[in-house]
Amino acid sequence: MLFDTLDNLELYQPLLPLLQTVIEVMDKGDVYTMKDGSYATDNPNVRYSIGSYMTSSEGKRYEIHKKATDVQIMLEGEELMSVTWREAVKDATPYDEAKDIHFCDGDPLLVMHAAVGRFCVFFPGEPHKPGVPVVNPMACRKVVFKLLG
């Protein structure tokens, strides 16, 4: 897991080369005005989605991906994101290979305050729970990049 400001995103590119595509998309600035939905990039190993939602504590579970690395960037609003130990998850749902996801419960190991200008990278196998309110439910907008490979 990585958590930092967008100003430092390129520092991690040697560790995760596919971040170059994320940087190029973010530098264009279009994500701030694009409609919610799923999008492709020129790189077949990088796709992204933009979504608007209300933060909520109701029914939130950790999600785990086996193939994709998530790069989550807040466009509007703020939320809490937490991670837990992979070895300590419980009550996991069956893995959905088509969506590369399964859900589970666990106790938070680390909680981050995600806000505009920050990003978080969750690597495959890292249980993470985004979308939790900082204090009260809030309208948010986020872009989530999926890096494969």
Side-chain angles (χ1 to χ4, degrees), residues 8-81:
N8 293 328
L9 185 60
E10 64 188 35
L11 297 175
Y12 300 96
Q13 196 266 335
L15 172 69
L16 196 56
L18 290 175
L19 279 178
Q20 183 58 43
T21 302
V22 174
I23 293 165
E24 290 167 6
V25 170
M26 293 304 296
D27 281 351
K28 287 181 187 174
D30 296 342
V31 295
Y32 294 94
T33 57
M34 293 169 71
K35 293 184 180 199
D36 290 359
S38 298
Y39 299 90
T41 68
D42 292 337
N43 186 328
N45 293 318
V46 180
R47 60 182 160 71
Y48 63 99
S49 61
I50 299 171
S52 299
Y53 56 94
M54 290 293 291
T55 58
S56 171
S57 297
E58 303 280 327
K60 290 285 180 186
R61 301 186 79 195
Y62 287 91
E63 57 185 67
I64 304 172
H65 309 289
K66 288 186 178 182
K67 300 174 188 168
T69 296
D70 269 10
V71 180
Q72 300 194 15
I73 301 171
M74 299 300 296
L75 302 174
E76 297 173 16
E78 58 185 341
E79 68 184 18
L80 298 178
M81 297 181 183

Side-chain angles (χ1 to χ4, degrees), residues 3 53 55-57 60 72 74 77-83 110-115 118 122 128-136 138 140 142:
F3 183 63
Y53 56 94
T55 58
S56 171
S57 297
K60 290 285 180 186
Q72 300 194 15
M74 299 300 296
E78 58 185 341
E79 68 184 18
L80 298 178
M81 297 181 183
S82 65
V83 293
L110 176 67
V111 177
M112 293 138 309
H113 184 168
R118 297 181 188 157
F122 299 106
H128 55 285
K129 180 170 37 172
V132 177
V134 174
V135 177
N136 296 313
M138 171 184 283
C140 291
K142 179 179 5 181

Side-chain angles (χ1 to χ4, degrees), residues 65-122:
H65 309 289
K66 288 186 178 182
K67 300 174 188 168
T69 296
D70 269 10
V71 180
Q72 300 194 15
I73 301 171
M74 299 300 296
L75 302 174
E76 297 173 16
E78 58 185 341
E79 68 184 18
L80 298 178
M81 297 181 183
S82 65
V83 293
T84 189
W85 297 106
R86 7 179 150 207
E87 300 82 12
V89 299
K90 48 191 175 234
D91 300 323
T93 62
Y95 175 66
D96 182 334
E97 187 158 352
K99 295 181 179 179
D100 183 34
I101 196 167
H102 61 104
F103 298 94
C104 61
D105 296 318
D107 296 319
L109 167 66
L110 176 67
V111 177
M112 293 138 309
H113 184 168
V116 175
R118 297 181 188 157
F119 73 91
C120 197
V121 175
F122 299 106

